[in-house]
Amino acid sequence: MDAPTAKSVNTELDETDVSDGLELPGAIVDEELSVEVIPHGEDEFVCVECFTIRHRSQAEERTKTGVICRDCVLGYA
């Protein structure tokens, strides 16, 4: 059995290289997205290190700028 030539492989790839309507990463999408923004609850806080919303039981350290979560203090974030 003969190995395929570079030209034949390139031709096969060109023929099968269709996106079939799939979006590529980073592609511009011409659609509006609807997102409901819900503020954090009274028992939650936003970590000033990783900017995630955490339950108040995960508050580890209070600073001048805000609260730091346990994961950031322990170096997990």
Side-chain angles (χ1 to χ4, degrees), residues 45-71:
F45 69 98
V46 178
C47 175
V48 296
E49 291 288 322
C50 64
F51 304 106
T52 56
I53 297 176
R54 304 287 185 146
H55 187 265
R56 67 175 172 212
S57 65
Q58 295 178 329
E60 188 69 23
E61 187 176 314
R62 298 188 186 281
T63 66
K64 292 180 188 178
T65 57
V67 182
I68 302 174
C69 72
R70 180 173 294 134
D71 288 345

PDB file of all heavy atoms in Angstrom, residues 45-71:
ATOM      1  N   PHE A  45     -20.295  37.276  50.208  1.00  0.00           N
ATOM      2  CA  PHE A  45     -19.379  38.394  50.003  1.00  0.00           C
ATOM      3  C   PHE A  45     -18.590  38.141  48.721  1.00  0.00           C
ATOM      4  O   PHE A  45     -18.542  37.024  48.222  1.00  0.00           O
ATOM      5  CB  PHE A  45     -18.422  38.560  51.187  1.00  0.00           C
ATOM      6  CG  PHE A  45     -17.410  37.444  51.315  1.00  0.00           C
ATOM      7  CD1 PHE A  45     -16.118  37.597  50.806  1.00  0.00           C
ATOM      8  CD2 PHE A  45     -17.734  36.243  51.916  1.00  0.00           C
ATOM      9  CE1 PHE A  45     -15.190  36.582  50.901  1.00  0.00           C
ATOM     10  CE2 PHE A  45     -16.810  35.216  52.025  1.00  0.00           C
ATOM     11  CZ  PHE A  45     -15.532  35.388  51.518  1.00  0.00           C
ATOM     12  N   VAL A  46     -17.981  39.191  48.189  1.00  0.00           N
ATOM     13  CA  VAL A  46     -17.128  39.071  47.017  1.00  0.00           C
ATOM     14  C   VAL A  46     -15.689  39.149  47.498  1.00  0.00           C
ATOM     15  O   VAL A  46     -15.284  40.135  48.110  1.00  0.00           O
ATOM     16  CB  VAL A  46     -17.412  40.188  45.984  1.00  0.00           C
ATOM     17  CG1 VAL A  46     -16.470  40.058  44.800  1.00  0.00           C
ATOM     18  CG2 VAL A  46     -18.853  40.134  45.522  1.00  0.00           C
ATOM     19  N   CYS A  47     -14.921  38.113  47.219  1.00  0.00           N
ATOM     20  CA  CYS A  47     -13.509  38.088  47.614  1.00  0.00           C
ATOM     21  C   CYS A  47     -12.753  39.155  46.819  1.00  0.00           C
ATOM     22  O   CYS A  47     -12.906  39.251  45.602  1.00  0.00           O
ATOM     23  CB  CYS A  47     -12.922  36.706  47.343  1.00  0.00           C
ATOM     24  SG  CYS A  47     -11.146  36.592  47.655  1.00  0.00           S
ATOM     25  N   VAL A  48     -11.935  39.944  47.521  1.00  0.00           N
ATOM     26  CA  VAL A  48     -11.186  41.005  46.844  1.00  0.00           C
ATOM     27  C   VAL A  48      -9.945  40.475  46.126  1.00  0.00           C
ATOM     28  O   VAL A  48      -9.296  41.220  45.404  1.00  0.00           O
ATOM     29  CB  VAL A  48     -10.796  42.144  47.823  1.00  0.00           C
ATOM     30  CG1 VAL A  48     -12.023  42.833  48.372  1.00  0.00           C
ATOM     31  CG2 VAL A  48      -9.910  41.631  48.946  1.00  0.00           C
ATOM     32  N   GLU A  49      -9.652  39.197  46.282  1.00  0.00           N
ATOM     33  CA  GLU A  49      -8.507  38.597  45.590  1.00  0.00           C
ATOM     34  C   GLU A  49      -8.931  37.893  44.299  1.00  0.00           C
ATOM     35  O   GLU A  49      -8.379  38.152  43.240  1.00  0.00           O
ATOM     36  CB  GLU A  49      -7.794  37.591  46.509  1.00  0.00           C
ATOM     37  CG  GLU A  49      -7.086  38.231  47.680  1.00  0.00           C
ATOM     38  CD  GLU A  49      -5.832  38.979  47.281  1.00  0.00           C
ATOM     39  OE1 GLU A  49      -5.102  38.507  46.398  1.00  0.00           O
ATOM     40  OE2 GLU A  49      -5.591  40.042  47.867  1.00  0.00           O
ATOM     41  N   CYS A  50      -9.917  36.998  44.395  1.00  0.00           N
ATOM     42  CA  CYS A  50     -10.325  36.216  43.217  1.00  0.00           C
ATOM     43  C   CYS A  50     -11.644  36.702  42.610  1.00  0.00           C
ATOM     44  O   CYS A  50     -12.062  36.201  41.568  1.00  0.00           O
ATOM     45  CB  CYS A  50     -10.427  34.734  43.566  1.00  0.00           C
ATOM     46  SG  CYS A  50     -11.692  34.334  44.793  1.00  0.00           S
ATOM     47  N   PHE A  51     -12.308  37.641  43.263  1.00  0.00           N
ATOM     48  CA  PHE A  51     -13.548  38.263  42.771  1.00  0.00           C
ATOM     49  C   PHE A  51     -14.693  37.283  42.569  1.00  0.00           C
ATOM     50  O   PHE A  51     -15.542  37.482  41.721  1.00  0.00           O
ATOM     51  CB  PHE A  51     -13.286  39.050  41.484  1.00  0.00           C
ATOM     52  CG  PHE A  51     -12.219  40.082  41.637  1.00  0.00           C
ATOM     53  CD1 PHE A  51     -10.965  39.878  41.084  1.00  0.00           C
ATOM     54  CD2 PHE A  51     -12.441  41.238  42.348  1.00  0.00           C
ATOM     55  CE1 PHE A  51      -9.965  40.816  41.235  1.00  0.00           C
ATOM     56  CE2 PHE A  51     -11.449  42.184  42.509  1.00  0.00           C
ATOM     57  CZ  PHE A  51     -10.209  41.972  41.950  1.00  0.00           C
ATOM     58  N   THR A  52     -14.707  36.210  43.352  1.00  0.00           N
ATOM     59  CA  THR A  52     -15.832  35.278  43.300  1.00  0.00           C
ATOM     60  C   THR A  52     -16.753  35.536  44.484  1.00  0.00           C
ATOM     61  O   THR A  52     -16.326  36.034  45.529  1.00  0.00           O
ATOM     62  CB  THR A  52     -15.371  33.805  43.326  1.00  0.00           C
ATOM     63  OG1 THR A  52     -14.568  33.601  44.496  1.00  0.00           O
ATOM     64  CG2 THR A  52     -14.569  33.457  42.101  1.00  0.00           C
ATOM     65  N   ILE A  53     -18.009  35.198  44.297  1.00  0.00           N
ATOM     66  CA  ILE A  53     -18.976  35.338  45.384  1.00  0.00           C
ATOM     67  C   ILE A  53     -18.873  34.094  46.249  1.00  0.00           C
ATOM     68  O   ILE A  53     -18.952  32.973  45.761  1.00  0.00           O
ATOM     69  CB  ILE A  53     -20.399  35.515  44.833  1.00  0.00           C
ATOM     70  CG1 ILE A  53     -20.477  36.806  44.031  1.00  0.00           C
ATOM     71  CG2 ILE A  53     -21.416  35.505  45.961  1.00  0.00           C
ATOM     72  CD1 ILE A  53     -21.797  37.040  43.355  1.00  0.00           C
ATOM     73  N   ARG A  54     -18.676  34.300  47.541  1.00  0.00           N
ATOM     74  CA  ARG A  54     -18.498  33.198  48.488  1.00  0.00           C
ATOM     75  C   ARG A  54     -19.497  33.335  49.630  1.00  0.00           C
ATOM     76  O   ARG A  54     -19.962  34.420  49.944  1.00  0.00           O
ATOM     77  CB  ARG A  54     -17.086  33.223  49.090  1.00  0.00           C
ATOM     78  CG  ARG A  54     -15.961  33.197  48.101  1.00  0.00           C
ATOM     79  CD  ARG A  54     -15.833  31.835  47.499  1.00  0.00           C
ATOM     80  NE  ARG A  54     -14.679  31.784  46.629  1.00  0.00           N
ATOM     81  CZ  ARG A  54     -13.943  30.708  46.477  1.00  0.00           C
ATOM     82  NH1 ARG A  54     -14.214  29.615  47.119  1.00  0.00           N
ATOM     83  NH2 ARG A  54     -12.932  30.723  45.644  1.00  0.00           N
ATOM     84  N   HIS A  55     -19.801  32.222  50.274  1.00  0.00           N
ATOM     85  CA  HIS A  55     -20.628  32.245  51.473  1.00  0.00           C
ATOM     86  C   HIS A  55     -19.789  32.841  52.602  1.00  0.00           C
ATOM     87  O   HIS A  55     -18.574  32.667  52.650  1.00  0.00           O
ATOM     88  CB  HIS A  55     -21.093  30.833  51.826  1.00  0.00           C
ATOM     89  CG  HIS A  55     -22.077  30.814  52.943  1.00  0.00           C
ATOM     90  ND1 HIS A  55     -21.707  30.608  54.245  1.00  0.00           N
ATOM     91  CD2 HIS A  55     -23.421  31.008  52.941  1.00  0.00           C
ATOM     92  CE1 HIS A  55     -22.775  30.665  55.017  1.00  0.00           C
ATOM     93  NE2 HIS A  55     -23.839  30.898  54.244  1.00  0.00           N
ATOM     94  N   ARG A  56     -20.442  33.529  53.520  1.00  0.00           N
ATOM     95  CA  ARG A  56     -19.701  34.218  54.587  1.00  0.00           C
ATOM     96  C   ARG A  56     -18.892  33.256  55.454  1.00  0.00           C
ATOM     97  O   ARG A  56     -17.920  33.660  56.091  1.00  0.00           O
ATOM     98  CB  ARG A  56     -20.642  35.053  55.439  1.00  0.00           C
ATOM     99  CG  ARG A  56     -21.610  34.241  56.246  1.00  0.00           C
ATOM    100  CD  ARG A  56     -22.446  35.107  57.154  1.00  0.00           C
ATOM    101  NE  ARG A  56     -23.478  34.279  57.757  1.00  0.00           N
ATOM    102  CZ  ARG A  56     -24.655  34.700  58.075  1.00  0.00           C
ATOM    103  NH1 ARG A  56     -24.975  35.953  57.862  1.00  0.00           N
ATOM    104  NH2 ARG A  56     -25.528  33.887  58.619  1.00  0.00           N
ATOM    105  N   SER A  57     -19.248  31.967  55.452  1.00  0.00           N
ATOM    106  CA  SER A  57     -18.465  30.989  56.214  1.00  0.00           C
ATOM    107  C   SER A  57     -17.077  30.787  55.608  1.00  0.00           C
ATOM    108  O   SER A  57     -16.188  30.249  56.270  1.00  0.00           O
ATOM    109  CB  SER A  57     -19.203  29.650  56.279  1.00  0.00           C
ATOM    110  OG  SER A  57     -19.322  29.086  54.987  1.00  0.00           O
ATOM    111  N   GLN A  58     -16.866  31.222  54.361  1.00  0.00           N
ATOM    112  CA  GLN A  58     -15.566  31.081  53.709  1.00  0.00           C
ATOM    113  C   GLN A  58     -14.701  32.330  53.861  1.00  0.00           C
ATOM    114  O   GLN A  58     -13.605  32.389  53.318  1.00  0.00           O
ATOM    115  CB  GLN A  58     -15.756  30.753  52.237  1.00  0.00           C
ATOM    116  CG  GLN A  58     -16.407  29.397  52.021  1.00  0.00           C
ATOM    117  CD  GLN A  58     -16.628  29.106  50.561  1.00  0.00           C
ATOM    118  OE1 GLN A  58     -16.839  29.999  49.759  1.00  0.00           O
ATOM    119  NE2 GLN A  58     -16.574  27.836  50.215  1.00  0.00           N
ATOM    120  N   ALA A  59     -15.185  33.326  54.603  1.00  0.00           N
ATOM    121  CA  ALA A  59     -14.391  34.531  54.845  1.00  0.00           C
ATOM    122  C   ALA A  59     -13.254  34.189  55.796  1.00  0.00           C
ATOM    123  O   ALA A  59     -13.465  33.625  56.864  1.00  0.00           O
ATOM    124  CB  ALA A  59     -15.264  35.633  55.432  1.00  0.00           C
ATOM    125  N   GLU A  60     -12.050  34.516  55.406  1.00  0.00           N
ATOM    126  CA  GLU A  60     -10.885  34.145  56.207  1.00  0.00           C
ATOM    127  C   GLU A  60     -10.165  35.365  56.773  1.00  0.00           C
ATOM    128  O   GLU A  60      -9.692  35.334  57.891  1.00  0.00           O
ATOM    129  CB  GLU A  60      -9.924  33.330  55.339  1.00  0.00           C
ATOM    130  CG  GLU A  60      -8.771  32.715  56.089  1.00  0.00           C
ATOM    131  CD  GLU A  60      -9.201  31.600  57.028  1.00  0.00           C
ATOM    132  OE1 GLU A  60     -10.270  30.998  56.831  1.00  0.00           O
ATOM    133  OE2 GLU A  60      -8.441  31.316  57.970  1.00  0.00           O
ATOM    134  N   GLU A  61     -10.089  36.424  55.987  1.00  0.00           N
ATOM    135  CA  GLU A  61      -9.289  37.579  56.411  1.00  0.00           C
ATOM    136  C   GLU A  61      -9.952  38.870  55.952  1.00  0.00           C
ATOM    137  O   GLU A  61     -10.413  38.977  54.829  1.00  0.00           O
ATOM    138  CB  GLU A  61      -7.895  37.457  55.787  1.00  0.00           C
ATOM    139  CG  GLU A  61      -6.899  38.466  56.256  1.00  0.00           C
ATOM    140  CD  GLU A  61      -5.532  38.198  55.651  1.00  0.00           C
ATOM    141  OE1 GLU A  61      -5.092  37.028  55.661  1.00  0.00           O
ATOM    142  OE2 GLU A  61      -4.939  39.159  55.158  1.00  0.00           O
ATOM    143  N   ARG A  62     -10.009  39.836  56.844  1.00  0.00           N
ATOM    144  CA  ARG A  62     -10.566  41.147  56.500  1.00  0.00           C
ATOM    145  C   ARG A  62      -9.415  42.139  56.348  1.00  0.00           C
ATOM    146  O   ARG A  62      -8.527  42.192  57.169  1.00  0.00           O
ATOM    147  CB  ARG A  62     -11.528  41.633  57.571  1.00  0.00           C
ATOM    148  CG  ARG A  62     -12.719  40.719  57.733  1.00  0.00           C
ATOM    149  CD  ARG A  62     -13.774  41.307  58.658  1.00  0.00           C
ATOM    150  NE  ARG A  62     -14.839  40.355  58.903  1.00  0.00           N
ATOM    151  CZ  ARG A  62     -15.833  40.094  58.059  1.00  0.00           C
ATOM    152  NH1 ARG A  62     -15.890  40.717  56.920  1.00  0.00           N
ATOM    153  NH2 ARG A  62     -16.755  39.208  58.372  1.00  0.00           N
ATOM    154  N   THR A  63      -9.444  42.902  55.260  1.00  0.00           N
ATOM    155  CA  THR A  63      -8.415  43.906  54.999  1.00  0.00           C
ATOM    156  C   THR A  63      -9.077  45.259  54.798  1.00  0.00           C
ATOM    157  O   THR A  63     -10.305  45.369  54.836  1.00  0.00           O
ATOM    158  CB  THR A  63      -7.618  43.543  53.726  1.00  0.00           C
ATOM    159  OG1 THR A  63      -8.488  43.613  52.597  1.00  0.00           O
ATOM    160  CG2 THR A  63      -7.010  42.156  53.819  1.00  0.00           C
ATOM    161  N   LYS A  64      -8.272  46.273  54.552  1.00  0.00           N
ATOM    162  CA  LYS A  64      -8.812  47.609  54.270  1.00  0.00           C
ATOM    163  C   LYS A  64      -9.674  47.613  53.013  1.00  0.00           C
ATOM    164  O   LYS A  64     -10.643  48.355  52.917  1.00  0.00           O
ATOM    165  CB  LYS A  64      -7.676  48.615  54.079  1.00  0.00           C
ATOM    166  CG  LYS A  64      -6.889  48.915  55.317  1.00  0.00           C
ATOM    167  CD  LYS A  64      -5.801  49.916  54.982  1.00  0.00           C
ATOM    168  CE  LYS A  64      -4.875  50.106  56.149  1.00  0.00           C
ATOM    169  NZ  LYS A  64      -3.781  51.031  55.835  1.00  0.00           N
ATOM    170  N   THR A  65      -9.303  46.770  52.046  1.00  0.00           N
ATOM    171  CA  THR A  65     -10.017  46.760  50.770  1.00  0.00           C
ATOM    172  C   THR A  65     -11.225  45.841  50.769  1.00  0.00           C
ATOM    173  O   THR A  65     -12.062  45.930  49.881  1.00  0.00           O
ATOM    174  CB  THR A  65      -9.068  46.338  49.625  1.00  0.00           C
ATOM    175  OG1 THR A  65      -8.518  45.054  49.926  1.00  0.00           O
ATOM    176  CG2 THR A  65      -7.965  47.364  49.442  1.00  0.00           C
ATOM    177  N   GLY A  66     -11.331  44.916  51.722  1.00  0.00           N
ATOM    178  CA  GLY A  66     -12.463  44.001  51.781  1.00  0.00           C
ATOM    179  C   GLY A  66     -12.098  42.674  52.396  1.00  0.00           C
ATOM    180  O   GLY A  66     -11.110  42.551  53.116  1.00  0.00           O
ATOM    181  N   VAL A  67     -12.892  41.674  52.080  1.00  0.00           N
ATOM    182  CA  VAL A  67     -12.737  40.347  52.668  1.00  0.00           C
ATOM    183  C   VAL A  67     -12.050  39.416  51.670  1.00  0.00           C
ATOM    184  O   VAL A  67     -12.333  39.449  50.477  1.00  0.00           O
ATOM    185  CB  VAL A  67     -14.124  39.774  53.062  1.00  0.00           C
ATOM    186  CG1 VAL A  67     -13.974  38.412  53.708  1.00  0.00           C
ATOM    187  CG2 VAL A  67     -14.853  40.726  53.993  1.00  0.00           C
ATOM    188  N   ILE A  68     -11.146  38.567  52.197  1.00  0.00           N
ATOM    189  CA  ILE A  68     -10.448  37.577  51.378  1.00  0.00           C
ATOM    190  C   ILE A  68     -10.952  36.204  51.766  1.00  0.00           C
ATOM    191  O   ILE A  68     -11.077  35.890  52.961  1.00  0.00           O
ATOM    192  CB  ILE A  68      -8.922  37.661  51.572  1.00  0.00           C
ATOM    193  CG1 ILE A  68      -8.422  39.067  51.211  1.00  0.00           C
ATOM    194  CG2 ILE A  68      -8.198  36.610  50.729  1.00  0.00           C
ATOM    195  CD1 ILE A  68      -6.962  39.287  51.508  1.00  0.00           C
ATOM    196  N   CYS A  69     -11.235  35.371  50.781  1.00  0.00           N
ATOM    197  CA  CYS A  69     -11.773  34.037  51.055  1.00  0.00           C
ATOM    198  C   CYS A  69     -10.675  33.090  51.541  1.00  0.00           C
ATOM    199  O   CYS A  69      -9.478  33.339  51.364  1.00  0.00           O
ATOM    200  CB  CYS A  69     -12.459  33.468  49.812  1.00  0.00           C
ATOM    201  SG  CYS A  69     -11.357  32.975  48.485  1.00  0.00           S
ATOM    202  N   ARG A  70     -11.116  31.983  52.098  1.00  0.00           N
ATOM    203  CA  ARG A  70     -10.209  30.973  52.648  1.00  0.00           C
ATOM    204  C   ARG A  70      -9.289  30.393  51.570  1.00  0.00           C
ATOM    205  O   ARG A  70      -8.102  30.183  51.808  1.00  0.00           O
ATOM    206  CB  ARG A  70     -11.049  29.848  53.279  1.00  0.00           C
ATOM    207  CG  ARG A  70     -10.234  28.750  53.886  1.00  0.00           C
ATOM    208  CD  ARG A  70     -11.110  27.751  54.640  1.00  0.00           C
ATOM    209  NE  ARG A  70     -11.697  28.430  55.789  1.00  0.00           N
ATOM    210  CZ  ARG A  70     -12.977  28.343  56.135  1.00  0.00           C
ATOM    211  NH1 ARG A  70     -13.803  27.613  55.448  1.00  0.00           N
ATOM    212  NH2 ARG A  70     -13.435  28.978  57.196  1.00  0.00           N
ATOM    213  N   ASP A  71      -9.821  30.159  50.360  1.00  0.00           N
ATOM    214  CA  ASP A  71      -8.998  29.591  49.293  1.00  0.00           C
ATOM    215  C   ASP A  71      -7.847  30.506  48.920  1.00  0.00           C
ATOM    216  O   ASP A  71      -6.716  30.046  48.684  1.00  0.00           O
ATOM    217  CB  ASP A  71      -9.847  29.306  48.052  1.00  0.00           C
ATOM    218  CG  ASP A  71     -10.768  28.111  48.247  1.00  0.00           C
ATOM    219  OD1 ASP A  71     -10.565  27.342  49.199  1.00  0.00           O
ATOM    220  OD2 ASP A  71     -11.694  27.959  47.419  1.00  0.00           O
TER     221      ASP A  71
END
